[in-house]
Amino acid sequence: MNIKFHIQDLNFYFNNNKVLKLINFEIPANIILGIIGPSGSGKTTFLRALNRMNDLESGSRIEGQILFDGEDIYSSDYDVVALRKRVGMVFAMPVPLPMSIYDNIVYGPRLSGVNDKKRLDVLVEKSLTAAYLWDEVKDRLKTSAMRLSGGQQQRLCLARVLAMEPEVILLDEPCSGLDPISTAKIEDALTELKKEYTIILVTNNTKQAARVSDYTAFFLMGDLIEVGNTGQIFTSPNKTETNDYITGRFG
Amino acid sequence: MRIHPRYTQGGAVAVLGGATILTLMILVFIIFFILEKGLPVINLNFLTSNPEDMGRAGGIFPTLIGTILLPLLAIIIATPLGIFTSVYLSEYTKETKVTKVIRFGTDCLAGIPSIIFGLFGYIFFVITLGFGWSIISGGLTLAVMILPTIIRTSEEAIKSVPKSYREVSFSLGATSWQTVKKVILPNALPGIVTGIMLSVGRSIGETAAVIFTAGSSLRIPSSVFDSTRTMAVHFYILAREGISAENAYGTAATLIIAVLIVNLSAYWLMNRFIAKRS
Amino acid sequence: MKLISEKGVKRLLMITAFSAISALLLIALFIINEGLPFIFKYGLKEFLFSSDWQPHLGKFGIYPMIVASLWVTLGAMLVGAPLGVAGALFLSEYVPKSVMNIIKPTIELLAAIPSVVYGFIGVMVLAPIIRDNFGGPGLSLLAGSIILGIMILPTVISISIDSILAVPRSYREGSLALGATTWQTIHMVTIKASKSGIIASIILGMGRAIGETMAVIMVAGNSVNIPHSPLDSVRTLTANIALEMSYATGLHRQALFATGVILFIVIIILNSIASVAIRKRMVKK
């Protein structure tokens, strides 16, 4: 199987607080990896390490390596901007930029120098369709994205990432503020999307991980406790902590 | 003797509230006093004709030109410098010794009295650089004077752009400059414009820094190297030398109206900005 | 290609970021360059502590102007600080936020009124009142103090309000919950917690009062003498510079720049104290 990310001896610090402790594992391509764990377990930090979004926080420091397609993304000459184009991200709270729906979607492509109107139109339709949003907004692409409902905004954010045509999509609790119907739509979209993308989904909702992911990783207090096939993790976990968490004893 | 808390409370409200009302009354009094005496003097002829006999008669037309040109030149120079500085401080660097020094320098510059700016502008622009008493000397001096205001208000405006917009932009593969250009500056714009307008208001009313750098010629300037007289300087000369009380009031009223228009539109813009944000 | 230009942008921005501090240094350099040689030539002690200001005789003692500036500033503080702090407390503690949001910018309009207009009001309204009720020339230290006291109000009020609002709500709620009245809360909790910010606002107001020129020229009378009563006519350091700059040459002009150096140093010291006080507030927050 094709490996997308190799994580080797990864330690991560915020101002000398160690928030990730000696993480080692591999993430294969074209799967959905669910990352679960109670809040404060380091799962979001881990996710944001994969596209170097943690760089934006002051006082962050990393040890060890993250190899993306065999290249160390934290080496000094690695092009972060190019990395973020290949590894897209959807945040917990939907954040449409204060511009039209259309301009939101083409924000990424335009940055990469795509200015051809026809090509952008095609990209907009394609990514909105893939995010299950096209039918709801196709008649009002020029209106402000701020007017969409929360669920629609989050699908817009997904579509915006898809328009960059990345290889990996990182999702940080994308459904935490959404209603069940919107959540279902996003989950449907993800299941479709894994054919073309590698998807890494951080979620507080263990059931969601069970529903959509192929592999599941369980983080606790900065440690990667266990990672494996979703079926195995949820039916016969190797560690008692995992079992306690998924059966709802804590978290 | 112990006074019941309820009475001290009542006394406090009376004293503190009285202080506030007194402050407001002073403001209202100043504006009304000037407008009441000055408005009858203002008419189209007053605004569009040249002063005669040193300002004893006639209008204030050349001073209007000076009052427009000097602040205009000042903001043309100070705005890009101020915005770039605030972008650098808020987007391109973390808090370090260097940024602390820059911030301290900006604060100090903001506190320098205008007479010092006048001295500096005179010795540097007028004498050393040889610009003479001129629009350019006055404009450059004002530019230095308003720079800290523009830096501060721009930085406030930039800081008020939600952090999540930056994250989204970076996560979509934008560089820092692309993020600044496409997301941060457009969203901070109303706040930045507010700062610029407040600076214009200050420049319009400035006298000490202008009189030693732009001079007080009443002729209509033909180039930026000509001397000019602003409304504030004209008013000062009329009032101090007792040339014409009537024209002094007329000039003061025009000055107050100009300053009020600029400042009130700045607040209006700021309020709209805040309303949109929340 | 793109990365190179990105670095170029960063470098350009960094250079412009030094514009304000370079301007400050340039101002210091040129004022000092023009004024310091005079101080060495004339003697600092003679310059600061001689009462003899007769430029045409080569006598340049600025002592009367220093005393006048100090008195006028002190007077302005006596008028402006209590009034300003009281207004700030009222607006931030007793008035609903929506009302404060209207009144605060209105009071800040006081800062927008040109100083020549304040001076004019002083001449036309205040000086006659003083002359008729207390005697003296009217244009006096007292008139200067009152006008300057009004002029520093917006500085004192708006910086005090900011620092009072920075006091965490929980402090106040804690106090109110224990049965304190608003006034008790203010004077036991709020003032203590926002003390350094209020002090900073007063110091900045002081800097403004010392540096103010045009209004003072118009209302303080401008006689070079050491005042014996608030009703005496006085000339401040700034007024002295502005009044004589237009015709001064040679040593006389240098003496005025030397006065500027003294003023500059005083202002920088006041600003440094204020900025430490404000930073202290931020740290506490």
Side-chain angles (χ1 to χ4, degrees), chain C residues 53-273:
Chain C
W53 178 264
Q54 285 174 302
H56 55 286
L57 300 175
K59 305 273 191 194
F60 301 104
I62 59 170
Y63 187 64
M65 278 80 100
I66 293 178
V67 174
S69 277
L70 289 178
W71 277 117
V72 170
T73 306
L74 185 72
M77 291 296 108
L78 289 178
V79 175
L83 204 55
V85 174
L89 285 172
F90 186 72
L91 290 176
S92 50
E93 300 290 311
Y94 285 97
V95 155
K97 198 142 190 260
S98 55
V99 177
M100 189 200 77
N101 285 339
I102 297 169
I103 296 184
K104 189 181 172 221
T106 310
I107 286 177
E108 280 165 2
L109 272 184
L110 275 172
I113 292 177
S115 50
V116 278
V117 172
Y118 280 105
F120 191 58
I121 296 279
V123 173
M124 303 307 275
V125 182
L126 189 60
I129 294 178
I130 292 175
R131 193 168 50 230
D132 297 345
N133 290 298
F134 305 105
L139 297 177
S140 59
L141 194 145
L142 179 62
S145 297
I146 294 174
I147 290 292
L148 283 182
I150 295 170
M151 290 179 74
I152 63 167
L153 279 177
T155 309
V156 176
I157 292 182
S158 75
I159 296 175
S160 291
I161 287 184
D162 290 346
S163 73
I164 293 168
L165 290 183
V167 176
R169 270 177 71 98
S170 53
Y171 286 22
R172 246 164 266 175
E173 285 168 355
S175 168
L176 292 170
L178 291 170
T181 62
T182 311
W183 171 246
Q184 287 174 320
T185 304
I186 287 179
H187 100 164
M188 291 189 223
V189 179
T190 311
I191 292 184
K192 249 175 220 152
S194 55
K195 197 174 59 194
S196 52
I198 293 177
I199 291 172
S201 80
I202 295 174
I203 294 171
L204 287 175
M206 221 163 122
R208 209 176 155 205
I210 289 186
E212 177 50 45
T213 311
M214 297 328 254
V216 170
I217 288 187
M218 292 169 86
V219 300
N222 299 326
S223 322
V224 184
N225 68 27
I226 296 172
H228 298 290
S229 104
L231 302 174
D232 285 354
S233 156
V234 293
R235 180 186 288 197
T236 63
L237 292 169
T238 51
N240 192 44
I241 298 174
L243 286 168
E244 303 194 353
M245 193 57 206
S246 51
Y247 61 85
T249 53
L251 213 55
H252 184 193
R253 198 178 81 181
Q254 287 182 10
L256 297 178
F257 271 91
T259 314
V261 173
I262 305 291
L263 207 56
F264 189 86
I265 292 170
V266 171
I267 296 284
I268 296 287
I269 291 173
L270 287 179
N271 276 324
S272 308
I273 297 171

